[in-house]
Amino acid sequence: MAVLAAAVAVALSTTGLQATAAPSRDHAPVNTAFTQAAEKYDVPRDLLAAVGYSETHLDGHDGEPSQDLGYGVMHLVSNPVNHSLDKAAEITGRSSAELRRDTAANIEGGAAVLRAHADALGLDRAERRDVNAWYPAVARYSNAEGATAALYADTVYQFLARGITAVAEGEKVTVTGRGVAPDKGAYKDSGSGFATTSTDYPPALWVPASPSNYDSGRTEAIRAIVIHVTQGLYAGTVSWFQNPASEVSAHYVVRSSDGEVTQMVRDSDTAWHARSGNPYSVGIEHEGFIADPGWFTDTLYRSSAALTRHLADRYGIPKDRAHIVGHSEVPGNDHTDPGPNWNWDYYMQLVGGSGGNPPQPGDRSWVDTFADAPGYASPTSTVRTGVLKQGTNYVFCKVWGREIRDSSGSYNHWWLLTDLDEGPAKQYVSAYYLSRWGDDEARDNTGAEIPLCKDA
């Protein structure tokens, strides 16, 4: 659904001194596509990348559609209420098939649609040079209205402020963080539309779905919780559930970046989320895509688990995998979410059900990695012992070791003690692979320095 690399995802050499698998610095088709599209349509390059990252984390999903029929890294959409793919084809002269499957074409299409929104708003050449003036155009790119459109644009500008490191087709794409002060124009007061909190779950916002997308009341008692993945954005999911044409809804939606929860259907009503499971279950949607574990942040897991724990306690639902299930596990469904990258063991630990006690704060630091990181038995070893998969992972501590440097000159001497996804426990990976890092820096997802190992 609709509502983010000159260096590359590195394969380290056995010497560990150089990223030997990296292509040359000139071979950067994704970065080149962003630069050329930005220049052609006079859209700020970093804004264009931030919109793409907000939409898909720059993952084109091999041309496969999202839940609301959006395609490519820029999530160009073709459904009854959003025609951005058709608009991109009209402006660029490229075919819909090319826009769906070719990343460079898709990026150009996204730039063209953004520029069309800017022209419709009357942005002149000077204003187009100011990233802050693009806020209303970004809001329109979401194809949402009011508070939902503002929520979408706010997310894009948060990524601009924070900075981005992502991998697209094996290539690192970066946006340097900066101060932003967006001119929200007509959206200045739209945020007030999300001020109401839920009465079923007070930590959540209350944004009702369209009455056309759920049944009032229930025919069965609540006895299960169904875990979903949106295959799209948080803001886009909220907008989709508000659209009467979608004929779909869930009770709750959880945001990836900060765990914000929005309730859209009352617990006492029947959301349309799991076919045969609708009458007796509560549905929780999680922002992200099943093929990309980077969306499943620790913050999302913890926020969702707190909601699930609340629901289980309130309705007497056993905290086990027979009653807390994935969409794919509900009889009569053809969906595959939450997919193989959803960490059920960790999630159930956080819920407080089967699987033991959850890890305590301070036991480990949670980090996002932008690519698979090779593991080593020590921070000076050059013999690989396994791999830490791309996405959200935990590390225990850091220690100084041999330098890792890539072809762009980026480097790091910090090594992180962790348990590998494939390979032994208590191994070391380079802090080079952290999504949030600088030269010789090693910070967790909150921005805090990862602590030194006690024996370092």
Side-chain angles (χ1 to χ4, degrees), residues 25 52 57 90 237 244 247 263 287-288 352 439 441 450:
R25 295 179 66 184
H57 282 195
E90 176 187 343
T237 301
E247 298 184 340
Q263 183 180 15
E287 181 184 29
D439 292 339
E441 288 188 11
I450 296 169

Side-chain angles (χ1 to χ4, degrees), residues 12-13 144 164 182 200 214 217 251 278 303 329 334 452:
L12 298 178
S13 70
I164 300 165
D200 287 329
Y214 66 90
H251 293 88
N278 291 342
S303 176
E329 298 170 313
D334 58 0
L452 288 170

Side-chain angles (χ1 to χ4, degrees), residues 143-175:
N143 199 54
E145 297 179 355
T148 307
L151 174 65
Y152 175 91
D154 285 345
T155 301
V156 172
Y157 278 82
Q158 286 167 9
F159 285 131
L160 276 174
R162 187 184 309 165
I164 300 165
T165 301
V167 173
E169 299 183 356
E171 182 181 335
K172 186 188 284 187
V173 178
T174 60
V175 171

Side-chain angles (χ1 to χ4, degrees), residues 80-268:
V81 296
N82 188 344
H83 304 282
S84 60
L85 178 66
D86 302 328
K87 186 70 172 177
E90 176 187 343
I91 298 171
T92 65
R94 295 178 180 270
S95 69
S96 294
E98 186 179 13
L99 289 165
R100 288 196 301 266
R101 294 195 170 274
D102 183 87
T103 295
N106 188 269
I107 292 169
E108 181 185 344
V113 172
L114 270 172
R115 173 61 187 273
H117 289 313
D119 288 346
L121 289 162
L123 268 66
D124 61 26
R125 182 177 179 84
E127 289 170 323
R128 292 197 302 272
R129 294 285 191 269
D130 179 7
V131 71
N132 291 306
W134 283 82
Y135 184 99
V138 171
R140 288 192 177 189
Y141 192 92
S142 71
N143 199 54
E145 297 179 355
T148 307
L151 174 65
Y152 175 91
D154 285 345
T155 301
V156 172
Y157 278 82
Q158 286 167 9
F159 285 131
L160 276 174
R162 187 184 309 165
I164 300 165
T165 301
V167 173
E169 299 183 356
E171 182 181 335
K172 186 188 284 187
V173 178
T174 60
V175 171
T176 302
R178 83 287 307 277
V180 295
D183 180 0
K184 297 189 176 185
Y187 298 93
K188 183 177 181 180
D189 299 320
S190 294
S192 61
F194 283 172
T196 304
T197 57
S198 164
T199 55
D200 287 329
Y201 184 59
L205 301 172
W206 167 244
V207 181
S210 167
S212 299
N213 296 335
Y214 66 90
D215 292 324
S216 297
R218 286 187 180 268
T219 58
E220 299 182 38
I222 298 172
R223 62 176 186 272
I225 298 166
V226 180
I227 302 300
H228 300 264
V229 174
T230 61
Q231 290 297 97
L233 291 186
Y234 177 75
T237 301
V238 172
S239 177
W240 191 236
F241 291 170
Q242 290 176 312
N243 191 314
S246 72
E247 298 184 340
V248 66
S249 63
H251 293 88
Y252 297 91
V253 187
V254 185
R255 186 158 63 188
S256 170
S257 61
D258 59 3
E260 180 178 89
V261 179
T262 292
Q263 183 180 15
M264 303 199 68
V265 177
R266 297 294 186 193
D267 293 356
S268 57

